[in-house]
Amino acid sequence: MKCPFCGFIEDKVIDSRPTDEGSAIRRRRECTKCLKRFTTYEKVESLPLMVIKKDRSRQPFDREKIMNGLLRACEKRPISINDLEKVVESIETQLHNSLQREITTEYIGEMVMTKLKNMDEVAYVRFASVYRQFKDINTFMDELKNLLRDDKKDKD
């Protein structure tokens, strides 16, 4: 850190403590050349995650949209809100860890369906029917056949 008084680039940290409910660190520093003290603040840089929709428009990522979709798919199913929160948290963490700044709705939808498939097959089919926009009963049946085939593979 460059000293604001003399411009020297070496200093030592005298004190360090969290501020803003832990979202930043306040550091008290002392220049090793002029011995003057100064304060710096350090916080994590957050880059916005943008979602590319089917019509190619872009909007900021909103975890509530995933939660709302999960709530609709899991309505009257034996899945707790806490479990759904964990799913949303897991997806959001995966997206941020991917280091991509723009993610398609298709990619997010597939992530949600993978999580749901492991939790509750009925909720999975409900979500898939909206997400994949089944046009008729045949496409719906094809999805059910895929689900049954995957179940059989898992059991073998």
Side-chain angles (χ1 to χ4, degrees):
M1 184 64 60
K2 192 174 183 181
C3 174
F5 303 106
C6 70
F8 195 63
I9 53 173
E10 288 186 35
D11 64 63
K12 61 182 178 179
V13 176
I14 307 292
D15 182 43
S16 207
R17 66 181 69 166
T19 62
D20 296 335
E21 294 146 12
S23 65
I25 304 265
R26 177 185 178 271
R27 298 197 192 279
R28 197 70 185 129
R29 300 175 179 269
E30 182 178 83
C31 176
T32 56
K33 183 176 181 187
C34 70
L35 303 178
K36 290 188 179 178
R37 293 184 177 187
F38 57 98
T39 302
T40 59
Y41 292 89
E42 196 177 300
K43 69 181 191 176
V44 175
E45 180 180 21
S46 62
L47 297 173
L49 193 58
M50 297 302 286
V51 176
I52 304 170
K53 299 181 72 172
K54 288 179 183 176
D55 67 358
R56 309 309 296 159
S57 66
R58 287 164 170 71
Q59 63 181 221
F61 174 77
D62 183 1
R63 65 180 282 138
E64 288 305 310
K65 288 187 176 187
I66 295 174
M67 181 56 115
N68 290 338
L70 287 170
L71 286 169
R72 272 180 289 191
C74 296
E75 192 173 316
K76 297 182 182 178
R77 299 299 303 154
I79 301 171
S80 71
I81 295 293
N82 197 23
D83 288 343
L84 295 180
E85 274 293 333
K86 287 178 186 173
V87 168
V88 174
E89 187 66 37
S90 170
I91 290 170
E92 186 174 24
T93 300
Q94 273 184 273
L95 292 174
H96 283 293
N97 289 342
S98 75
L99 301 179
Q100 294 178 352
R101 294 295 122 221
E102 293 187 331
I103 287 107
T104 63
T105 55
E106 289 84 7
Y107 183 72
I108 295 170
E110 292 298 326
M111 290 175 76
V112 171
M113 288 195 338
T114 300
K115 301 280 185 190
L116 274 177
K117 192 173 192 179
N118 297 327
M119 285 178 69
D120 187 284
E121 291 176 345
V122 172
Y124 164 78
V125 171
R126 285 179 179 170
F127 187 88
S129 69
V130 173
Y131 171 70
R132 293 214 171 118
Q133 298 176 341
F134 295 150
K135 304 286 186 259
D136 55 31
I137 192 70
N138 292 326
T139 54
F140 187 75
M141 288 302 294
D142 290 342
E143 187 65 35
L144 288 176
K145 287 175 188 172
N146 289 338
L147 184 61
L148 291 171
R149 188 177 53 246
D150 290 347
D151 268 0
K152 187 176 180 186
K153 283 181 191 175
D154 291 344
K155 289 177 183 173
D156 291 341

